[in-house]
């Protein structure tokens, strides 16, 4: 049975708004969001106004685009990570959030991705960067690396730009 896209959109809207409401007075999530977004301030064109925090037993974080709406979910499990990794998931998901606003058609992304050097990407970016066959994870992982100060060679950056990866301004 296929679920109507409108029902899926309604589900995400309900879950997102419920999580925003549940966490509106949570000082830990508010502090995490403020600190994480402050690290990105001035380095990207725009930032999300709100982030929905999932309970820590739901370890998966995600950014979902349904029709024209973007929903950014971060697991509370990230709040307890060591300082060096604390915002990795946030940076990755904001990479998706920014990319989804300017991403080429999925068919075009798949075509671009066909010529990608998968072995090199796995070695120089991450294993997660090759998880999808359309470059979405690659863009989010490179974005995270750029925010954290990592530099990539011309081949990686050309692929990133071909897929319309979000522009990252230097610190």
């Amino acid at each position: 049975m296929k679920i109507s896209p409108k029902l899926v959109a309604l589900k995400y809207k309900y879950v997102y708004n419920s999580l925003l409401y549940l966490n509106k007075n949570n000082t830990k999530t508010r502090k995490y969001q403020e600190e994480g977004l402050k690290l990105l301030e001035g380095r990207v064109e725009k930032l999300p106004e709100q982030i929905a925090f999932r309970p820590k037993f739901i370890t998966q974080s995600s950014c979902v685009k349904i029709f024209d709406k973007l929903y950014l979910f971060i697991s509370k499990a990230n709040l307890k990570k060591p300082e060096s990794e604390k915002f990795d998931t946030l940076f990755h998901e904001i990479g998706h959030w920014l990319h989804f606003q300017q991403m080429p058609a999925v068919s075009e992304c798949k075509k671009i991705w066909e010529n990608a050097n998968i072995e090199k990407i796995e070695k120089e970016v991450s294993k997660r960067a090759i998880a999808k066959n359309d470059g979405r994870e690659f863009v989010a992982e490179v974005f995270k690396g750029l925010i954290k100060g990592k530099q990539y060679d011309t081949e990686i950056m050309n692929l990133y730009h071909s897929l319309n990866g979000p522009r990252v301004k230097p610190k």
Side-chain angles (χ1 to χ4, degrees), residues 54-62 73-78 81 89 93 128:
R54 289 180 168 148
K56 63 183 169 191
F57 65 85
I58 302 174
T59 58
Q60 182 183 3
S61 296
S62 61
F73 297 95
I74 300 293
S75 171
K76 287 183 185 176
N78 291 289
K81 286 186 175 178
T89 300
E93 297 306 335
R128 186 173 183 184

Side-chain angles (χ1 to χ4, degrees), residues 5 25-26 33 35 38 41 43 49 71 110 113 118 129 134 137 148 161 167 170-171:
N25 295 319
N26 186 319
Q33 180 174 328
E35 288 176 1
K38 189 156 184 76
E41 207 170 81
R43 305 220 31 224
E49 291 180 22
Y71 300 103
K110 286 182 177 184
W113 190 249
I118 301 300
D134 59 9
E137 293 302 322
K148 292 185 79 172
H161 294 304
R167 184 168 172 254
K171 279 186 178 181

Side-chain angles (χ1 to χ4, degrees), residues 8 34 36 41 52 61 72 83 93 105 114 128 132 141 161:
V8 172
E34 286 171 4
E41 207 170 81
S61 296
L72 186 58
E83 202 60 39
E93 297 306 335
E114 285 176 2
R128 186 173 183 184
K132 300 269 190 225
E141 285 291 286
H161 294 304

Side-chain angles (χ1 to χ4, degrees), residues 32 77-88 148:
Y32 177 90
N78 291 289
L79 278 61
K80 300 230 184 244
K81 286 186 175 178
E83 202 60 39
S84 63
E85 302 171 17
K86 188 174 184 178
F87 297 108
D88 285 4
K148 292 185 79 172

Side-chain angles (χ1 to χ4, degrees), residues 84-161:
S84 63
E85 302 171 17
K86 188 174 184 178
F87 297 108
D88 285 4
T89 300
L90 178 70
F91 297 159
H92 176 94
E93 297 306 335
I94 288 181
H96 282 306
W97 186 85
L98 290 164
H99 188 222
F100 287 166
Q101 295 174 61
Q102 62 192 32
M103 189 169 104
V106 174
S107 59
E108 186 180 334
C109 290
K110 286 182 177 184
K111 195 171 197 165
I112 293 166
W113 190 249
E114 285 176 2
N115 299 313
N117 184 338
I118 301 300
E119 293 83 23
K120 179 178 182 163
I121 292 168
E122 183 176 4
K123 183 180 174 196
E124 295 184 20
V125 181
S126 72
K127 187 172 182 90
R128 186 173 183 184
I130 61 169
K132 300 269 190 225
N133 69 346
D134 59 9
R136 281 181 293 165
E137 293 302 322
F138 166 79
V139 168
E141 285 291 286
V142 170
F143 176 83
K144 175 184 79 175
L146 293 171
I147 291 297
K148 292 185 79 172
K150 188 166 182 179
Q151 294 185 349
Y152 298 100
D153 68 16
T154 306
E155 184 180 353
I156 297 288
M157 290 310 296
N158 284 343
L159 180 58
Y160 180 78
H161 294 304

